[in-house]
Amino acid sequence: MGNLKVEAIFGGVLALVVLGVALYSIANTTFGGSIGQPGGGQPTAQVSSGLAPSLTAEAGQDLICECYNDARELAGQVDVLSPEYRTGFEQCRARGGVSGGDAWTAGWNARLSGKPYEASCRAYKRRG
């Protein structure tokens, strides 16, 4: 009979730990809002490190050039395997389709190519 009490106590403690983890994960989860609000609609990136691009293009801005220029600037600061590179690429691809992803890659490569006279969005658009 004594073993049942020990098992009940440990089972109760285990249940409380699982419940605590579940409550913690729910408390730290943000749920989607309406379009235009953070967490819902189109993806946006706001990274406090200042290294990742901030893809909150205002109306009238050229998304292709924004992706190109953000990637070109980031290429001098982080490695291609960094989370900042991946985040920027994925967001450009999500917002601009294949053209956005291509512009991100071209901007990244332009910085690393060592040809600053060719490393502009205008030059990139002329080639395409």
Side-chain angles (χ1 to χ4, degrees):
M1 200 75 169
N3 286 341
L4 285 175
K5 285 186 179 183
V6 172
E7 290 175 1
I9 291 173
F10 283 119
V13 170
L14 179 62
L16 288 175
V17 169
V18 169
L19 180 65
V21 170
L23 289 175
Y24 178 78
S25 64
I26 289 172
N28 289 326
T29 301
T30 56
F31 296 98
S34 62
I35 293 178
Q37 298 293 323
Q42 296 181 354
T44 59
Q46 297 296 333
V47 178
S48 61
S49 69
L51 295 179
S54 175
L55 292 182
T56 54
E58 297 176 12
Q61 272 191 325
D62 184 6
L63 181 64
I64 299 301
C65 280
E66 182 180 348
C67 288
Y68 182 92
N69 292 333
D70 286 346
R72 191 182 69 219
E73 290 174 22
L74 189 64
Q77 300 171 2
V78 298
D79 187 64
V80 72
L81 298 176
S82 71
E84 292 88 359
Y85 175 89
R86 184 176 184 92
T87 299
F89 175 80
E90 287 175 352
Q91 288 183 354
C92 281
R93 182 73 185 252
R95 291 187 60 210
V98 174
S99 298
D102 289 347
W104 177 269
T105 303
W108 183 271
N109 291 336
R111 172 72 178 254
L112 300 178
S113 72
K115 299 177 184 177
Y117 58 90
E118 292 180 4
S120 73
C121 185
R122 279 179 71 186
Y124 169 69
K125 285 184 163 185
R126 279 193 303 258
R127 284 180 273 168

